[in-house]
Amino acid sequence: MPAPDRPQRTTHFGFREVPESAKDDLVAGVFHSVANKYDLMNDLMSLGVHRLWKQFATEASGVRGGFRVLDVAGGTGDLAAKFAVRAGRRGQVVVADINDSMLGVGRERLADRGIAGNVSFVRANAENLPFPEDYFDRVTIAFGLRNVTHIERALASMLRVLKPGGALLVLEFSRPVFPGLNKLYDAYSFNVLPWLGRVVARDADSYRYLAESIRKHPDQETLKTMMQQAGFERVEYHNLSGGIVALHKGYKF
Ligand code: SAM
């Protein structure tokens, strides 16, 4: 008699439940579709505020000359460009992303800005990073963690490649902390974002996914606990824009 089929494990893709094995491809579809308009959309959607969030993360990273930095889910290279300047010629910055289209846009953007030499681009899944153990001084992931299928595996993988004494910084959408902000934020997320996506990137669905994926992502305290359970120490977070975004930082000792 044939063995009964094992029920497939599922996860969320926005508000949809999908087989775990399908999520990477669905997320890839989103970022292939939006890669060319990704930077413009970030500026429009956040009215430029994403630049301040990234500047805050850069300063909190403490990256300095000679550091080895890995920016996971680094996409079009916003953080990598800042780290490349700070790490200098003796330093090394690696952008790792699962998506060729995003990496391609990033590579061109940084080359156009004359940022090369100490930056490389690697296609890799955050859950299984192809780098040596204890190698990087800092690992960052900005607006990427909510897209990975198994957050615990990504945290373990990022911990593995960090040097003892090194730190992980997670910049991600989180839970607004001001009562009253939620309604406004929901109205904006579920109406304005898909509309902007349709008009500018010709893709409303990807921006609906963005709004939904933010709602499914662990809140500040839950992510802090997940980082601690993964083995990070001295984990702290800082709310930005009233908790719309949070920056978590934790160390490997
Ligand atoms: N970090 C960039 C920034 O802040 O502008 C890009 C963020 S973009 C919203 C999310 C990125 O995560 C995309 O480039 C996507 O390809 C990447 N990504 C999604 N799942 C991933 C995974 N499992 N491993 C590595 N990168 C992933």
Side-chain angles (χ1 to χ4, degrees):
M1 226 171 65
D5 286 343
R6 277 225 206 109
Q8 272 199 322
R9 292 170 68 105
T10 63
T11 186
H12 52 84
F13 172 71
F15 288 165
R16 277 164 59 195
E17 254 334 270
V18 298
E20 276 188 353
S21 55
K23 180 159 168 170
D24 278 357
D25 284 346
L26 290 165
V27 170
V30 167
F31 290 102
H32 283 310
S33 162
V34 305
N36 284 319
K37 296 282 188 213
Y38 176 79
D39 296 303
L40 172 64
M41 279 297 290
N42 272 355
D43 277 333
L44 293 174
M45 287 185 305
S46 72
L47 301 175
V49 176
H50 76 102
R51 293 168 184 256
L52 303 179
W53 297 332
K54 287 171 180 163
Q55 187 57 35
F56 185 87
T58 306
E59 277 158 28
S61 72
V63 169
R64 54 177 193 272
F67 267 30
R68 289 179 184 157
V69 185
L70 172 65
D71 187 30
V72 179
T76 59
D78 273 357
L79 280 185
K82 295 177 189 296
F83 292 144
V85 174
R86 286 174 170 246
R89 289 204 343 223
R90 287 182 304 112
Q92 181 189 3
V93 179
V94 180
V95 181
D97 198 290
I98 204 168
N99 192 296
D100 281 335
S101 306
M102 295 291 280
L103 285 171
V105 174
R107 205 180 276 118
E108 265 184 40
R109 264 180 94 211
L110 267 57
D112 284 351
R113 291 171 57 185
I115 298 171
N118 64 350
V119 185
S120 54
F121 294 81
V122 175
R123 183 161 182 258
N125 189 329
E127 295 184 25
N128 190 14
L129 292 165
F131 306 108
E133 205 171 320
D134 299 344
Y135 187 80
F136 291 100
D137 298 284
R138 294 288 182 270
V139 175
T140 55
I141 181 164
F143 306 108
L145 197 60
R146 69 174 191 284
N147 295 298
V148 310
T149 306
H150 306 97
I151 292 181
E152 293 86 350
R153 287 184 204 168
L155 290 172
S157 178
M158 293 189 282
L159 183 74
R160 186 186 67 78
V161 300
L162 261 180
K163 283 181 190 169
L168 167 71
L169 289 100
V170 181
L171 184 67
E172 189 51 272
F173 290 104
S174 204
R175 288 291 176 282
V177 289
F178 294 127
L181 188 59
N182 275 324
K183 267 198 176 158
L184 193 67
Y185 184 49
D186 277 355
Y188 179 78
S189 308
F190 291 107
N191 297 298
V192 180
L193 292 190
W195 174 80
L196 261 180
R198 182 162 52 78
V199 173
V200 178
R202 306 249 166 269
D203 181 352
D205 287 347
S206 291
Y207 286 90
R208 196 167 296 113
Y209 161 73
L210 166 70
E212 292 177 1
S213 66
I214 292 170
R215 301 312 186 280
K216 299 299 279 187
H217 189 64
D219 65 16
Q220 287 87 333
E221 282 296 324
T222 309
L223 181 56
K224 179 178 175 179
T225 304
M226 290 172 86
M227 287 176 68
Q228 288 167 331
Q229 284 170 346
F232 289 94
E233 295 184 33
R234 285 172 50 197
V235 180
E236 302 285 355
Y237 64 84
H238 191 99
N239 285 323
L240 299 166
S241 303
I244 289 177
V245 164
L247 178 69
H248 285 69
K249 185 174 184 182
Y251 289 83
K252 171 173 174 177
F253 289 117

